[in-house]
Amino acid sequence: FHSPSINTIRIATAIDKKGIPHIMAAVIRVGANGSITDNASAGGLFAGIDVNTGIIISKGVDLQAKTYLIHPTTNMPFLGFQIPNWEQLKELALEVAGVMPEMRYIGWDWVLLQNGNWELLEGNEPGGAHVIQQGIGRGLYNDYYNVLMGNESYETK
């Protein structure tokens, strides 16, 4: 989306009381205007990703809540973009979440390498829940509560 910066996928995971990891939500984070970082606090943009399909489901948005149908620097459209190797990324996110079950909520930042493989950049606690919720366009309180507090009949979307 923006070659001067790293562009990451943040996948939020939560571990339920049985120790099972769940993917709660995901956003793409991209730099803009020549910035070398994708952080929204440095002028970057983010957009929601459908966890089931890996397709971007929202316009890009900045921290001032200004939305972008296309990237303002590169003119790439956000909506409908398919994240490459999405199933592989979901498997990796669940795997790393399970390694640290005592950290029950983490936002994992992933980078797609030129060879098509995903590499973990970092895990963030508490993981930028505000950016994730703003990116996907809905609050996640009930989702997080049900997974973290043990509503066994609940399934994440």
Side-chain angles (χ1 to χ4, degrees):
F1 266 85
H2 183 256
S3 61
S5 67
I6 193 166
N7 299 281
T8 60
I9 304 295
R10 174 158 299 169
I11 295 184
T13 61
I15 306 290
D16 67 23
K17 288 189 172 187
K18 293 181 179 179
I20 299 169
H22 300 264
I23 293 176
M24 304 303 296
V27 294
I28 186 169
R29 301 169 355 122
V30 299
N33 302 315
S35 174
I36 61 169
T37 180
D38 64 356
N39 293 342
S41 60
L45 309 171
F46 49 94
I49 299 170
D50 180 300
V51 171
N52 293 315
T53 65
I55 294 173
I56 296 178
I57 56 171
S58 74
K59 295 177 183 177
V61 64
D62 63 22
L63 278 186
Q64 289 71 44
K66 183 176 178 184
T67 60
Y68 302 84
L69 191 55
I70 61 171
H71 191 284
T73 309
T74 65
N75 294 322
M76 283 190 64
F78 284 99
L79 288 169
F81 182 85
Q82 174 69 58
I83 304 300
N85 302 330
W86 182 248
E87 289 302 316
Q88 175 196 35
L89 180 55
K90 289 192 326 184
E91 289 174 19
L92 289 168
L94 291 171
E95 182 181 328
V96 298
V99 170
M100 298 176 54
E102 67 278 4
M103 299 294 293
R104 295 189 61 211
Y105 174 74
I106 298 180
W108 303 99
D109 291 345
W110 296 89
V111 178
L112 184 64
L113 302 177
Q114 288 183 348
N115 66 9
N117 291 322
W118 289 99
E119 184 165 301
L120 179 61
L121 179 64
E122 64 182 356
N124 297 274
E125 190 278 320
H130 64 292
V131 168
I132 291 169
Q133 293 175 100
Q134 189 175 0
I136 66 168
R138 70 179 185 91
L140 293 170
Y141 175 84
N142 289 335
D143 296 13
Y144 289 132
Y145 183 86
N146 287 323
V147 169
L148 294 169
M149 300 309 289
N151 182 348
E152 295 182 18
S153 66
Y154 182 79
E155 294 207 14
T156 56
K157 296 180 172 72

